Amino acid sequence: LVLATGEQGAALLYTFKWLLICILIGLLVGSASAFFLVSLDWVTNYREENTWIIALLPLGGLVIGLLYHYYGGRSVKGNNLLLEEIHTPRERIPFRMAPLVLFGTLVTHLFGGSAGREGTAVQMGGTIADQFTKVFRLRPRDRKLLITAGISAGFASLFGTPLAGAIFGLEVFVVGRIRYESLLPSFLAAVIADYTCHHLWGVSHTVYAIPFVPELSVTGFVSALLAGVVFGLAGMVFSKATLLWGNIFQRYISYAPLRPVVGGVVLAGVVFAIGTTKYVGLGVPTILAAFSDPLPVYDSVVKILFTSFTLGAGFKGGEVTPLFFTGATLGNALSQAVPLPMALLAGMGFVAVFAGATNTPLTCTIMAIELFGAESSVYMALACVTAYIFSGHSGIYGSQVIGSPKH
Amino acid sequence: LVLATGEQGAALLYTFKWLLICILIGLLVGSASAFFLVSLDWVTNYREENTWIIALLPLGGLVIGLLYHYYGGRSVKGNNLLLEEIHTPRERIPFRMAPLVLFGTLVTHLFGGSAGREGTAVQMGGTIADQFTKVFRLRPRDRKLLITAGISAGFASLFGTPLAGAIFGLEVFVVGRIRYESLLPSFLAAVIADYTCHHLWGVSHTVYAIPFVPELSVTGFVSALLAGVVFGLAGMVFSKATLLWGNIFQRYISYAPLRPVVGGVVLAGVVFAIGTTKYVGLGVPTILAAFSDPLPVYDSVVKILFTSFTLGAGFKGGEVTPLFFTGATLGNALSQAVPLPMALLAGMGFVAVFAGATNTPLTCTIMAIELFGAESSVYMALACVTAYIFSGHSGIYGSQVIGSPKH
């Protein structure tokens, strides 16, 4: 029995090299996520206790707008810059992208914009990772793996879902394809970053519970597919709305720093007019409520409006937690018509709208398992896959490349 | 907000079409798996209660050898025929492949060969599915999806793991790449086939339990990687041993039907000499024991020898359950040296040796979650990914194409 020892030697070298690099990436990105999560918690609490601060949203918008306009350079592209550097590498991602997006996101949340946080973590992860390209003199192929590992580390540590984070890095670049080049780096960086954030820094994540999952039946199967179609359409509407508001702002306000100012005036006005902060910030309390209490049927639509307007105006953050909000509240509303438990539908919407808007059905199925446990995995997979099929070929990341048509 | 209604219409048509096809495939393949599982249970019990029948193993070998030689045609290629038809389609997979492999596997197990069962389910699934190519006048591209969905359905219903079955169909063809063309068909067929086998026919699957999973620590992380390396090497040894015995038999016995006869004489002789049926058949009792009782350290090596010899001689079945046996007993043995609980290491070996030998790390990670629950998922993923990296570029399926190098 001849062992291919040459091949094993290469595997060993490869593993050692990436283990070392991923320990560095994991420690740094996990720490960055921990700092971000704690700060985000702080600004969110401050805003909720001092809602008058939302009146200053236009001012916050101005600061973000000026910073990105005069100092941001390519950073303004956000997640898409990472995707573009993977597809057609040009030059090192500027380090300033990390502090800029961190600051921009905290300002957005402090003054009451409606946004997420995964964009921030992913951009910090990719940026921090790419700084090692020069340090270690990595070749172009290795640089791809490095950025991918950074993205996986950011996503994993932010949501406390190491496997979903690892797969997200592999799945997000090309619609309809996964390549395993960075399989090992992504898993190593994701697990280490999550460990750093959760165990070393002691930052905990929100716990969602689906108390009862019915055995699969024909009704349950059909319900999951139908709900998946609705979730996919919601994901598509979310993407298109974000794009639409971005286009409107660009068309009517040519001076970029002014866009979030105008956007901030409108948003702050609306918030004071409706008299609730339910739709600003991350919206975690409402996401949690969607698993147990009946909510207004329009919640998901209002959140799409708030977030697409906020991001289209040039505020910073991410889309994923608002996508969770949209999906969970939509699932909550669907439970009045679809014969599945409310918490199960809320959980399915939570991941499936995200799957549709970002074209990452496997990430979302695994995320559901990591957040809600394995019992509901078949429902989750059916909803995520169907949402993926029905969300159209363009998602919230404009620089995704289509590798394989959906249908 | 303009909806791309044309695209949604196409998605709807696509979904309806594949839902109909997958209901058919799922019902048929799930029923075939149910029949196979019940028959396999019957022949296994009969053999264990009448061990004298192992003396007739050479006779069983002769029957299988003659049938495949004079009547099998391309069927003798087994799983590789399915892979080849996906890569370079030639002609419809002959229907006879399904009954032949079913009969061959039952004979192998009845008379005490050491083999698995997933090859049988996968071949029945792919063959049954491909018969619809003509019925529905499907185009070549659709035929690929059809065969893939059949493979997913077979795997899912055999092991009671719908998501792992779905991913297996997507992951097995190309090493290092997944394409989503058959994402929806594979998930639909897998879920329906598993439902058919488990709920409609009431066939249950073995339950494995990992009672305690320690929180991740630096020691646990390093242990998982080290164990993964060992599991990957075991997977490689398994593949190479199967290939080696096949080559030896082909070289020294030119008349194919005689190979399983000679193999049967040797195997039956060894079984009576060592006086135990522990290493023949599927070996499920030993797999279960590996989760709770200390086992001899040589169990995994002996099982590799028995199975590679059985399959190399021309008996039928699959490799996966013997890979489970090899991995679970190897993990059991490793627990004497590696500071992780025995059941956890047995479970990690169970999936990771399989991941290494078939180059399907995502399938195996998801399978672990479906079989053992979500608690151990990080350990499972680390072991499966590392095993994949260290198992070399050739696995047990010779017709796999390398899409992306491992390191």
Side-chain angles (χ1 to χ4, degrees):
Chain A
L1 208 68
V2 182
L3 295 180
T5 44
E7 203 173 23
Q8 308 316 314
L12 203 63
L13 270 179
Y14 172 88
T15 304
F16 260 115
K17 170 177 147 184
W18 283 105
L19 184 58
L20 284 179
I21 295 176
C22 290
I23 288 173
L24 274 173
I25 295 180
L27 286 172
L28 288 172
V29 176
S31 300
S33 289
F35 178 78
F36 174 49
L37 284 169
V38 170
S39 320
L40 195 55
D41 227 36
W42 190 88
V43 299
T44 302
N45 289 336
Y46 188 89
R47 184 196 65 229
E48 288 303 305
E49 282 161 18
N50 305 274
T51 44
W52 56 265
I53 205 173
I54 298 176
L56 304 180
L57 187 57
L59 194 69
L62 182 65
V63 175
I64 296 174
L66 289 171
L67 264 177
Y68 269 87
H69 191 62
Y70 291 106
Y71 187 64
R74 298 192 301 156
S75 304
V76 74
K77 288 187 179 175
N79 287 353
N80 283 324
L81 178 62
L82 299 176
L83 271 61
E84 286 169 20
E85 280 296 328
I86 294 275
H87 292 310
T88 48
R90 264 170 234 156
E91 50 180 325
R92 189 160 52 88
I93 293 160
F95 180 71
R96 69 181 77 160
M97 177 142 144
L100 269 179
V101 74
L102 175 66
F103 179 78
T105 305
L106 291 176
V107 168
T108 299
H109 282 275
L110 177 64
F111 295 105
S114 169
R117 49 191 169 171
E118 102 299 338
T120 317
V122 161
Q123 287 169 46
M124 289 197 298
T127 308
I128 291 172
D130 198 24
Q131 308 311 309
F132 290 108
T133 302
K134 213 176 166 187
V135 180
F136 294 125
R137 299 189 188 175
L138 294 180
R139 291 164 303 168
R141 182 182 167 237
D142 283 347
R143 183 173 172 238
K144 273 194 194 186
L145 309 200
L146 194 68
I147 298 177
T148 309
I151 291 173
S152 291
F155 191 101
S157 51
L158 188 79
F159 293 119
T161 54
L163 305 197
I167 306 279
F168 181 76
L170 307 177
E171 198 177 28
V172 72
F173 297 105
V174 182
V175 179
R177 263 194 224 175
I178 287 189
R179 290 181 64 125
Y180 285 15
E181 274 97 345
S182 55
L183 185 76
L184 183 77
S186 273
F187 272 92
L188 292 179
V191 170
I192 297 170
D194 175 52
Y195 181 82
T196 302
C197 182
H198 187 60
H199 285 90
L200 294 191
W201 292 108
V203 175
S204 61
H205 303 275
T206 314
V207 176
Y208 305 93
I210 299 178
F212 171 67
V213 180
E215 282 240 4
L216 194 67
S217 63
V218 175
T219 318
F221 177 81
V222 175
S223 302
L225 294 186
L226 286 177
V229 173
V230 177
F231 295 141
L233 294 176
M236 188 186 63
V237 170
F238 190 104
S239 318
K240 290 197 188 289
T242 308
L243 201 69
L244 184 76
W245 284 118
N247 288 340
I248 290 176
F249 274 103
Q250 281 176 34
R251 188 162 164 190
Y252 293 104
I253 307 175
S254 54
Y255 184 59
L258 214 60
R259 291 172 202 152
V261 180
V262 175
V265 169
V266 175
L267 263 176
V270 171
V271 172
F272 286 111
I274 63 174
T276 172
T277 58
K278 184 175 177 181
Y279 304 105
V280 308
L282 295 167
V284 172
T286 306
I287 301 178
L288 273 168
F291 284 79
S292 51
D293 310 317
L295 298 177
V297 286
Y298 51 78
D299 267 3
S300 54
V301 180
V302 178
K303 185 66 179 175
I304 292 181
L305 271 174
F306 267 74
T307 308
S308 56
F309 188 84
T310 300
L311 297 175
F315 285 95
K316 295 297 158 184
E319 292 90 351
V320 174
T321 308
L323 285 166
F324 291 165
F325 185 118
T326 304
T329 53
L330 185 56
N332 182 287
L334 278 180
S335 72
Q336 299 186 13
V338 173
L340 285 176
M342 180 189 284
L344 179 60
L345 277 166
M348 288 160 68
F350 184 109
V351 289
V353 173
F354 169 32
T358 59
N359 298 313
T360 57
L362 293 192
T363 299
C364 295
T365 302
I366 298 209
M367 185 171 212
I369 291 171
E370 291 187 285
L371 291 178
F372 314 131
E375 295 70 29
S376 55
S377 59
V378 169
Y379 289 101
M380 296 295 165
L382 289 175
C384 290
V385 168
T386 316
Y388 169 80
I389 298 290
F390 277 85
S391 70
H393 283 85
S394 56
I396 55 172
Y397 306 129
S399 298
Q400 269 183 339
V401 169
I402 296 174
S404 162
K406 291 185 174 183
H407 42 76
Chain B
L1 208 69
V2 180
L3 294 180
T5 43
E7 203 173 23
Q8 308 316 314
L12 203 64
L13 269 180
Y14 172 87
T15 303
F16 259 115
K17 170 176 148 185
W18 283 105
L19 183 59
L20 284 179
I21 296 176
C22 290
I23 288 174
L24 274 173
I25 294 180
L27 286 172
L28 288 173
V29 176
S31 300
S33 288
F35 178 78
F36 174 49
L37 283 169
V38 170
S39 320
L40 194 56
D41 225 35
W42 191 88
V43 300
T44 302
N45 289 336
Y46 188 88
R47 185 196 64 229
E48 289 303 305
E49 282 162 19
N50 305 273
T51 44
W52 55 264
I53 205 173
I54 298 176
L56 302 182
L57 186 58
L59 193 70
L62 183 65
V63 175
I64 296 173
L66 289 172
L67 263 176
Y68 268 86
H69 191 63
Y70 291 106
Y71 187 63
R74 299 191 300 156
S75 305
V76 75
K77 289 188 181 176
N79 287 355
N80 283 324
L81 179 61
L82 299 176
L83 271 63
E84 287 169 20
E85 280 296 328
I86 294 274
H87 292 309
T88 47
R90 263 170 236 158
E91 50 180 324
R92 188 160 52 89
I93 293 161
F95 181 71
R96 70 181 77 161
M97 178 141 141
L100 267 179
V101 75
L102 175 65
F103 179 78
T105 306
L106 291 175
V107 169
T108 298
H109 283 275
L110 177 64
F111 295 106
S114 168
R117 49 191 169 171
E118 104 297 340
T120 316
V122 162
Q123 287 169 46
M124 289 197 298
T127 307
I128 290 172
D130 198 25
Q131 308 311 309
F132 289 108
T133 303
K134 212 175 164 187
V135 180
F136 293 124
R137 298 189 190 175
L138 295 180
R139 290 164 303 166
R141 181 182 167 238
D142 283 348
R143 184 176 171 235
K144 273 195 192 184
L145 309 200
L146 193 68
I147 298 177
T148 309
I151 290 173
S152 291
F155 191 101
S157 51
L158 188 79
F159 293 120
T161 54
L163 304 197
I167 306 279
F168 182 76
L170 306 177
E171 198 177 28
V172 72
F173 296 106
V174 181
V175 179
R177 264 195 224 174
I178 288 188
R179 291 181 63 127
Y180 285 14
E181 273 96 346
S182 55
L183 185 76
L184 183 77
S186 272
F187 271 92
L188 291 179
V191 170
I192 297 169
D194 175 53
Y195 181 82
T196 302
C197 182
H198 187 59
H199 285 91
L200 294 191
W201 293 108
V203 174
S204 60
H205 303 276
T206 314
V207 177
Y208 304 93
I210 299 178
F212 170 66
V213 180
E215 282 239 4
L216 194 66
S217 64
V218 176
T219 319
F221 177 79
V222 174
S223 301
L225 294 186
L226 286 177
V229 173
V230 177
F231 295 141
L233 295 176
M236 188 186 64
V237 169
F238 190 103
S239 317
K240 289 196 189 290
T242 308
L243 201 69
L244 185 77
W245 284 118
N247 288 340
I248 290 175
F249 273 104
Q250 281 176 34
R251 187 161 163 191
Y252 293 103
I253 306 173
S254 56
Y255 184 59
L258 215 59
R259 292 171 201 151
V261 180
V262 175
V265 170
V266 175
L267 263 177
V270 171
V271 172
F272 285 110
I274 63 174
T276 172
T277 57
K278 183 175 177 181
Y279 305 104
V280 308
L282 295 167
V284 173
T286 307
I287 300 178
L288 273 169
F291 283 79
S292 52
D293 310 318
L295 297 177
V297 286
Y298 51 78
D299 266 4
S300 54
V301 180
V302 178
K303 186 65 179 178
I304 292 181
L305 271 174
F306 266 74
T307 307
S308 57
F309 188 85
T310 300
L311 297 175
F315 285 96
K316 296 296 159 185
E319 293 91 350
V320 174
T321 308
L323 286 167
F324 292 164
F325 185 118
T326 303
T329 54
L330 185 56
N332 183 288
L334 278 181
S335 72
Q336 299 186 11
V338 173
L340 285 176
M342 180 188 283
L344 179 59
L345 276 166
M348 287 160 70
F350 184 111
V351 288
V353 173
F354 168 33
T358 59
N359 297 313
T360 57
L362 294 192
T363 300
C364 295
T365 302
I366 299 214
M367 184 172 214
I369 290 170
E370 291 187 284
L371 291 178
F372 313 131
E375 294 72 27
S376 55
S377 59
V378 169
Y379 289 101
M380 297 295 166
L382 289 174
C384 289
V385 168
T386 316
Y388 168 81
I389 298 290
F390 278 85
S391 70
H393 283 86
S394 56
I396 56 172
Y397 306 129
S399 298
Q400 269 181 339
V401 169
I402 296 175
S404 162
K406 291 185 175 183
H407 43 74

